[in-house]
Amino acid sequence: MKGVVFNLLEQLVSRDYGEDTWDTLLDSAGLDGAYTSLGSYEDADLFKLVGAASEALDTPPDDIVRWFGRNALPLFAESYPQFFAPHTSARTFVLTLNDIIHPEVRKLYPGADVPEFDFDQLHEEDGPLRMGYRSQRQLCSFAEGLIEGAGAHYGERIAIEQPTCMLRGDESCVLEISFTPAEA
Amino acid sequence: MSAPTETERLRRRLERERRARREAEEIADRTTSALYDRQRELELLEGVAVAANEAATREDALQAALERICTHLRWPVGHALLVDRTSDTLVSSRRWYTKEAGSFRGFKAISEATTFRSGVGLPGRVLATGDPVWVEDMAQERGFPRMVLAAREGVGGAFAFPLRDGVDTVGVIEVFSAHPVAIDEGLLAVAGHIGSQLGRVFERVGAQEELSHHALHDGLSGLPNRVLLVDRLRLALARAARSSALTGVLFIDLDRFKDVNDRCGHQAGDEVLIEASARLDAGIRGGDTIARMGGDEFVVLCEDLSHEGEALVLAERLQRLVLTPFQLGSGEQHLLTASIGIAVAGPDDADPESLLRDADAAMYRAKDLGGARHELFNEAMRDRVLDRLRTERALGRALEQGELRLHYQPIVSLDGRQTEGTEALVRWQDPELGMRSPAEFIPVAEKSSLILRLGEWVIGEACRQAALWRADGRHNELLPVNVNLAARQLADERLPEVVRAAVAQVGLDPGDLALEITESALIEDAEVPAKTLAELRDLGVGVMLDDFGTGYSSLSYLQRFPVDVLKIDRSFVASLSEGSPASAIVGAIVGMGHALGLRVVAEGIETEEQAAEALRLGCDSAQGFLFARPATAATIEEAAHREAVSNAS
């Protein structure tokens, strides 16, 4: 896991819950917390932090991860507006993940192990978008959070169903995403 | 445990930030240096690719790759090997990079002399697996045939990788460091790319070479041909001009090779040529080029001679290699010798053609001196060649402008001293140089096709004179007129037609013409003369065997070739006296000639004693200064007339 993910989490936790909370999470997870965006760290570190937060807030880990994704997205939009500007809807933005956004991530963070999504193009343009996700990290909730954040960015309401999910023992996750314009 | 104070919390965060910064800096350093390495590796790969694509030959591509890899690594020595497909072994391509010229001599020598089987030595390991092999310290490894020399001459570590054409390993490049060196994974990856890049170039250049190979090589022997040799010679001379080295050219001609063709057919001749090519090729030094120039002529190009002696040593070695009998598939054996002309050029003589010409002239000299020897070119040889060329040109002009004359020498019966024919002898009245000797210009003409034109003129002129005498009627004893034929004329299938036309043109009775041939003319080409002589005899022209006793004097000639007269060579006549060995020989020839129904003529009679002895031994006729010198037609007519008058009175 690239250090930048830990930096983002620290930034959001410190912003919403105070710096002391981040220290407390590190202590509970037994981590020293010196993360640099350029480095790579154990995936387990992230899960330890999520687990500690889940316990402290008495919230399921998935919800913690989804919160992380939803709140991380505006930070991305602030740092990399060029990827958001060409789009007027979350749907077209999400469709650029494989071909534009993740390649840029690899460029900035050599060795970044970003997931490859599997978009089902058979659906009609105004129907739900089916997005397959398969990763050892099983962070489908992070994807959900990010997509919800993207909806918020474009002023849309997002509803996501997961007919299959690795967290429920399925082979892969399928996210069925419905985009609804806010004014509708 | 009390809650941490604000100061403690801040100190802890500060410490965390510091560690993160240091780690970030380390990562940045590592990334930057990895990027630099990667950049250089890409430059290396690009450099090799560009050079390889520009290379005209596999060797050039290998050389370019070796230089770039070694200078990239700053390693002192690199070497390329090629897979020999027939034995599936690796042999040296003789392409090297060495940082310092002349270094690693022993290591190079043993590398070039070693054939690496799969699995053996550094290249063999690459061949066995098809993967690069890295040796951190040669001294610590076992199973390297070259290890001892490598260590002595300062090789530390080594790295070798395959040149791949698809899945096939077609060669191996090995590079050596001065000191033990740790494995470099990045380089291994780049080497993989270089290997397939070169492999592809090999395939492309290989196809081109295949095409140009045909244009630049001799089909029979597979050796380079004249075109390629001249090109290599030009390059060699250009290099020599920079390095001040000597360049040698050996012009090799197999003596009497024609006999093989004539006696055993062209297939046998080809077999001998292929075998000779292989022997000569095996005898030259590494780096020398041997080419077949056509026929039985070969040329060796020696670069980097330190002195002329080296070329002489090589010539001796090549001559020895030819001396071993040639064993043909048919079971026949042939003994051959070689004549070799050597020319050595200094750095300033940069003309390939003249160097070849000099070596050719020296080869001619070796032949003139009897063959089976070598001669180093000197200026006198060039003068001889130039003289020959000048004479050739002048003789051509003489033929056109009518500077040639025939003189006639009577042949007389020994018992009654009656004239019974004449021998026509060519004379050349050069307007600038005066009377020129046939001994000078006939051999020159014989070396070129001029002899055919000259011979044709002589036949025509002799026929004209003979027809005049016959028409005149007063000097029929001067007939027949004998004309000398050269070997090349006799080998020319058009000869019977030439004679027929000459006789017909002046309305001459063919019986008034006789042709003198030498034994050597008969051996030169055994098949054509027998047929030609038979046709001439059918025409009614007389045939004499001239200079008998000086050549092979093989009785089989007399059986195979239809002749009427034997002319005993003047060298026997000169030492004729009663009881001398010459007398015994002449007696034997006469006995044999008569037994075969031939007339026997003694040539070169100068004294009465010789005439008496020739008569005693049974010679029928004679020719010589004692009776008459060669003279113009008018002069001998006059003499014949005087003789007739004095006989009548």
Side-chain angles (χ1 to χ4, degrees), chain B residues 549-563:
Chain B
T550 54
Y552 286 80
S553 304
S554 163
L555 297 180
S556 71
Y557 295 138
L558 296 177
Q559 195 187 7
R560 282 175 64 195
F561 301 109
V563 301

Side-chain angles (χ1 to χ4, degrees), chain B residues 213-276:
Chain B
H213 186 90
H214 289 298
L216 297 175
H217 289 77
D218 164 50
L220 182 69
S221 63
L223 296 180
N225 65 12
R226 183 185 189 96
V227 177
L228 184 53
L229 181 95
V230 170
D231 191 54
R232 291 212 179 145
L233 182 52
R234 184 173 296 113
L235 290 174
L237 289 170
R239 270 196 292 272
R242 289 196 295 272
S243 71
S244 76
L246 296 177
T247 305
V249 166
L250 274 63
F251 210 112
I252 305 165
D253 188 282
L254 301 179
D255 304 318
R256 302 204 167 280
F257 169 74
K258 225 168 158 300
D259 288 5
V260 180
N261 258 346
D262 292 343
R263 278 189 276 139
C264 308
H266 287 280
Q267 201 181 334
D270 286 354
E271 251 183 273
V272 168
L273 284 176
I274 290 169
E275 170 71 18

Side-chain angles (χ1 to χ4, degrees), chain B residues 409-423 482 516 544 565-568 570 573 576 586 599-608 610-616 618-629:
Chain B
Q409 185 174 32
I411 297 165
V412 302
S413 67
L414 267 174
D415 46 2
R417 305 265 167 116
Q418 302 294 314
T419 300
E420 48 187 26
T422 48
E423 178 177 356
N482 301 350
E516 298 193 3
M544 310 186 175
V565 177
L566 286 186
K567 291 182 84 171
I568 298 175
R570 61 183 64 244
V573 174
L576 266 190
V586 170
R599 286 178 50 242
V600 179
V601 180
E603 284 187 284
I605 300 273
E606 294 182 359
T607 65
E608 284 294 351
Q610 290 166 352
E613 181 66 2
L615 179 61
R616 192 184 68 81
C619 290
D620 304 291
S621 315
Q623 188 178 346
F625 287 0
L626 177 64
F627 315 111
R629 291 172 179 266

Side-chain angles (χ1 to χ4, degrees), chain B residues 399-452:
Chain B
L399 272 164
E400 278 161 25
Q401 307 192 349
E403 294 168 18
L404 298 176
R405 302 275 180 275
L406 285 188
H407 283 194
Y408 301 87
Q409 185 174 32
I411 297 165
V412 302
S413 67
L414 267 174
D415 46 2
R417 305 265 167 116
Q418 302 294 314
T419 300
E420 48 187 26
T422 48
E423 178 177 356
L425 298 160
V426 68
R427 295 290 181 265
W428 177 7
Q429 182 64 46
D430 189 312
E432 287 165 28
L433 302 174
M435 193 62 88
R436 296 181 69 165
S437 163
E440 172 209 351
F441 66 84
I442 295 290
V444 172
E446 281 179 336
K447 285 200 168 82
S448 76
S449 60
L450 264 181
I451 191 68
L452 295 179

